[in-house]
């Protein structure tokens, strides 16, 4: 009878041990699946970050291009102003000379 009770206890312990092992294997499998999911998520996020890096580089290029266009525009506008000022100065000189000639003509008629 004692032997039987010992066998029952040993069998229970073995059964509990097998149950624990099964539970641990299930947990291990779940952890492995979670790891695979996490790696996939990481890969997706890496791709998204790469896309954002490309977008940032494109925006930086656009900013540089706009700055260049603005600088060129300012230079062109400045050159245009200088040209207009020069033309206005020449026109003023011409009109002044013409006025002086007309004044001389009027003075010579008197």
């Amino acid at each position: 009878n004692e032997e039987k009770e010992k066998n029952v206890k040993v069998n229970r312990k073995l059964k509990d041990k097998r149950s624990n092992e099964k539970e641990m294997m299930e947990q291990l499998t779940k952890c492995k699946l979670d790891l695979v999911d996490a790696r996939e998520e990481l890969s997706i996020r890496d791709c998204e970050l790469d896309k954002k890096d490309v977008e940032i580089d494109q925006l930086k290029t656009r900013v540089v291009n706009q700055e260049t266009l603005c600088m060129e525009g300012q230079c062109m506008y400045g050159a245009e102003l200088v040209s207009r000022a020069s033309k206005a100065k020449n026109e003023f000189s011409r009109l002044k000379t013409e006025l002086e000639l007309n004044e001389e003509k009027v003075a010579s008629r008197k």
Side-chain angles (χ1 to χ4, degrees):
N1 208 11
E2 267 182 50
E3 181 106 7
K4 194 175 181 183
E5 284 181 31
K6 276 186 183 180
N7 282 341
V8 167
K9 284 183 182 179
V10 167
N11 283 339
R12 275 190 201 140
K13 284 183 182 180
L14 281 174
K15 195 175 182 182
D16 288 346
K17 192 174 182 181
R18 284 187 194 128
S19 177
N20 284 342
E21 284 177 356
K22 184 179 177 186
E23 204 174 291
M24 289 172 82
M25 289 302 288
E26 287 173 356
Q27 287 178 352
L28 180 60
T29 302
K30 185 183 179 311
C31 286
K32 287 179 180 179
L33 290 174
D34 288 347
L35 181 60
V36 168
D37 289 346
R39 284 183 176 153
E40 283 180 23
E41 181 69 23
L42 182 60
S43 177
I44 290 169
R45 296 216 178 176
D46 278 347
C47 287
E48 290 172 355
L49 285 174
D50 288 344
K51 287 178 186 176
K52 292 294 180 191
D53 284 344
V54 168
E55 287 177 25
I56 288 169
D57 288 344
Q58 289 172 343
L59 287 172
K60 285 179 181 177
T61 301
R62 284 178 58 194
V63 166
V64 168
N65 290 343
Q66 287 299 320
E67 287 173 343
T68 302
L69 286 174
C70 287
M71 296 275 294
E72 289 172 356
Q74 288 172 351
C75 290
M76 288 170 40
Y77 182 67
E80 177 67 21
L81 288 178
V82 168
S83 173
R84 286 183 187 177
S86 177
K87 286 178 185 174
K89 183 178 175 186
N90 291 341
E91 180 68 9
F92 176 77
S93 294
R94 186 187 67 74
L95 290 172
K96 185 176 175 188
T97 303
E98 190 178 311
L99 178 63
E100 289 170 353
L101 288 174
N102 285 340
E103 286 175 345
E104 287 177 11
K105 285 181 185 177
V106 168
S108 69
R109 285 187 186 163
K110 290 184 181 177

